[in-house]
Structure formats: C-alpha cells, structure tokens
Amino acid sequence: MKKTMLLIVLASILVLSACGKNTNTTHEKHDLAVGEQHQLPNGDLQEVTASVDILPAFLDDKPEDMRLVYQVAASATDIIEWMPCYCGCGESANHGSNMNCFIDEIREDGSVVWDDHSTRCQVCLDTAVDSVMMTQEGKSLKEIRTIIDKTYKEGYAKPTDTPMPS
C-alpha cells in the first residue's frame, strides 16, 4: 500500500512539475549525440535522449518505480539541484548535487544527458523522492535542505559541494 501511494504521489508530481532547465555540471563533457552512451572512468554510464520525456535505454530493465523516480528527477531539477548527495559521488563522480545522480545536463536544444548513477544507489533515489515530496507539502528549498542535511549527517559519505538555497 505504501509503495502504491508513493507511485501515485510521484505520478501526480510529474504532471505538476515543469522541466527544461540547463543543468551544467563540472563533469568532463563528451559530445554525445542522441541515442549514444558513454562509460565514465568511475563506472557511471551516460546516455543522451532527445528530451526529458524520453528515458534512457539503461532504465529498460529497471523496476517501474525506479523509472518513475528518474522521470520525477527530470521534472524537478530546480529542486534537487539544491540538495546534496551523501553517497560519496561528489568525490567519486564529481557530482555537484543530487540532480547529477540522474542528469548530467539538459542541453539548450532540450536533449538530456542522463546518468545511471542512481540505478545503483538508494541514497540518491531517496534524496530525490523526499525532496520533491517535501516541496509538494509546501516546504521551502531551505527547509528541505536542512532536513536532508540532518537526515544524512551521520553514517553517510561526505556530501556533494552543493550551494545552500537562499
């Protein structure tokens, strides 16, 4: 029942959220075309699709709820770009925020450079879902950030170097 409710909430968030943000990060950029994939030195796989409405092929064999979280993340970059990730990806993958665990970049033409990092990391998935759900509850970005920082303060890796929202 809890899983069903989560999927319903996430689906409604997709309908309510806007997308199309540019999300440049500090990764070394590769000139990938739509449909191409690239394996990064840390093991992450990146793939380009024409838009946020088209999920990458690396999600084809993943559970439906994981694909839904990727969709939500793509529609909520303005939220999760302010949330640090506590899985260690700041050091291992040069991520700047939780957003980079899902998306490296949304290009000016609308194409998306997806990252498969979150397919192997529950911390990444939980941070994105919790952040978006708290936004829907009316919490500010700063309140959400404070809660995320408190939640992962002990027992997790060093957070990404993510600026605090104003």
Side-chain angles (χ1 to χ4, degrees):
M1 181 65 167
K2 186 177 179 182
K3 185 176 179 180
T4 303
M5 286 301 294
L6 176 63
L7 289 174
I8 290 169
V9 169
L10 290 175
S12 62
I13 291 168
L14 277 174
V15 172
L16 297 173
S17 297
C19 46
K21 290 120 189 128
N22 186 356
T23 61
N24 292 325
T25 67
T26 58
H27 284 141
E28 176 185 334
K29 299 295 179 196
H30 299 278
D31 220 7
L32 298 177
V34 171
E36 288 186 335
Q37 293 184 340
H38 174 73
Q39 192 87 37
L40 298 176
N42 71 340
D44 287 357
L45 180 67
Q46 291 187 341
E47 181 179 338
V48 179
T49 65
S51 74
V52 294
D53 298 324
I54 303 167
L55 290 174
F58 64 69
L59 290 173
D60 289 351
D61 64 346
K62 303 298 183 230
E64 180 63 28
D65 56 344
M66 184 177 289
R67 290 192 301 273
L68 187 56
V69 174
Y70 264 80
Q71 288 177 313
V72 168
S75 68
T77 57
D78 59 335
I79 299 166
I80 64 174
E81 72 180 337
W82 295 104
M83 303 304 140
C85 187
Y86 282 82
C87 77
C89 63
E91 294 179 357
S92 69
N94 203 26
H95 287 176
S97 71
N98 179 243
M99 181 194 65
N100 301 131
C101 302
F102 300 90
I103 294 175
D104 182 58
E105 176 183 18
I106 299 176
R107 296 173 175 168
E108 286 185 25
D109 67 358
S111 63
V112 179
V113 181
W114 299 90
D115 195 301
D116 80 335
H117 185 84
S118 290
T119 65
R120 297 175 306 282
C121 183
Q122 194 64 46
V123 170
C124 301
L125 296 168
D126 289 345
T127 300
V129 169
D130 291 346
S131 299
V132 173
M133 288 180 69
M134 285 187 268
T135 299
Q136 294 299 309
E137 294 168 0
K139 289 183 174 43
S140 71
L141 288 174
K142 197 166 188 176
E143 289 172 313
I144 297 165
R145 170 65 180 268
T146 300
I147 293 168
I148 294 295
D149 286 340
K150 183 178 179 184
T151 300
Y152 295 101
K153 183 178 182 176
E154 293 182 23
Y156 294 90
K158 179 181 173 186
T160 55
D161 187 20
T162 308
M164 180 65 84
S166 50

